[in-house]
Amino acid sequence: MVFGYIIYGLIALLIIVTAAGMLISRNTVYSALFLVLNFTLVAILYFTLGAPFIALTQISVYAGAIMILFLFVIMLLGSEKMDWQEPLKNQRLVAGILVFLVLLPAAVLLISQTGAVPPLTTPDPEFGSPATIGNILFTQYTLPFLVIGFLLLVATIGAIVLTKTDTPRQRIEAMESKKD
Amino acid sequence: MPITYYLGLSVIMFVIGFIGVLLRRNALLIFMSLELMFNSANLAFVTFANYYHLPNAQLFVFFVMTVAAAEVAIGLALIVAIFRKKQSINVDQVSDLKG
């Protein structure tokens, strides 16, 4: 039991440290790598919460695909070292107030509820297994699943359209219209 | 393990992401902070799935991940397009719509 608390504390500490590292790091590549570490650690927490399918999806989709995309864009734009700009004093104050407003109710709620609710239990291995999740996904949530597939198709087309450069013909036409 | 531990961690992650969105000027970092906020919401979902013994909540995490993937694809395409035009991804530079 105590061992579980120690493991949880270690992982939680590392999650907070990597999240803060992402925020503080001046080099965008380091930020992205900190975030990969953060996602992987959160995936370990998912395992302990009885969600192995979600944990593996997190590693392959988030820590794998999405962060590779981020690193790719960072390298492509050559924006590893962006000129550091001090945020406006005013902005920092407003941000502090907003963070306080978010943190205060959450902290009050969590501290007041400590001990009032039953603790989490270790679920049986079937809970959250790929078989269970797949069963629910393809029976109860078939329509959302199809909608999500369509959304990914739209996103793919959108990404291609947004980054498309002009075709050679369009460039020639633009030059000719400039000449006139 | 008390549920508040996991929810507290989720809140801390959310706030770190929130600070990133509010204070950083680099569009890529703002995006990464957004991912962190998504992640904290997902952690809360999985925690409550365990608490109520409902695997349905884990499906929402699955959907959130898919939407996040779509959002990142579009967002990074936008960043690349903006960088081509302005040679910068500082969000303060993107003010063409300002009257």
Side-chain angles (χ1 to χ4, degrees), chain A residues 22 40 67 95 142:
Chain A
M22 190 274 298
T40 316
M67 292 322 291
T142 315

Side-chain angles (χ1 to χ4, degrees), chain A residues 8 23 39 45-46 49-51 54 58 62 77 82 84-85 91 118 120-121 127-128 133 136 141 148 163, chain B residues 1 5 9 15 20 22 24-26 35 39 42-43 49-51 53 56 58-59 65-66 68 83-84 90:
Chain A
Y8 168 80
L23 196 62
F39 286 154
L45 276 192
Y46 289 165
L49 283 167
I54 294 300
Q58 165 103 351
Y62 257 125
L77 302 185
M82 276 287 149
W84 172 263
Q85 261 187 327
Q91 196 173 8
L120 295 172
T121 50
F127 178 79
I133 298 293
I136 301 169
Y141 290 92
I148 282 286
T163 50
Chain B
M1 192 77 70
Y5 283 21
L9 186 64
V15 165
L22 287 175
R24 297 308 295 265
R25 304 265 65 84
N26 187 334
E35 295 304 315
N39 214 28
N42 285 349
L43 183 62
N50 185 316
Y51 185 70
H53 287 281
N56 295 34
Q58 294 186 6
L59 280 168
M65 276 179 188
T66 328
F83 186 80
R84 274 210 197 111
N90 190 323

Side-chain angles (χ1 to χ4, degrees), chain A residues 9 12 14-15 18 40 42 45 50-51 81 131 179:
Chain A
L14 278 172
I15 284 175
T18 49
T40 316
V42 173
L45 276 192
K81 291 206 168 102
K179 270 184 206 160

Side-chain angles (χ1 to χ4, degrees), chain A residues 99-110:
Chain A
V99 166
F100 183 72
L101 284 179
V102 171
L103 209 52
L104 185 72
V108 168
L109 201 65
L110 287 179

Side-chain angles (χ1 to χ4, degrees), chain A residues 58-137:
Chain A
Q58 165 103 351
I59 289 175
S60 63
V61 174
Y62 257 125
I66 290 182
M67 292 322 291
I68 291 297
L69 204 61
F70 263 108
L71 282 170
F72 189 75
V73 169
I74 291 166
M75 305 284 183
L76 186 75
L77 302 185
S79 60
E80 302 95 272
K81 291 206 168 102
M82 276 287 149
D83 44 330
W84 172 263
Q85 261 187 327
E86 191 66 16
L88 305 169
K89 286 251 161 54
N90 222 345
Q91 196 173 8
R92 196 166 266 186
L93 184 75
V94 174
I97 293 169
L98 283 172
V99 166
F100 183 72
L101 284 179
V102 171
L103 209 52
L104 185 72
V108 168
L109 201 65
L110 287 179
I111 290 167
S112 67
Q113 293 296 311
T114 305
V117 287
L120 295 172
T121 50
T122 313
D124 55 322
E126 275 307 299
F127 178 79
S129 72
T132 318
I133 298 293
N135 207 359
I136 301 169
L137 187 64

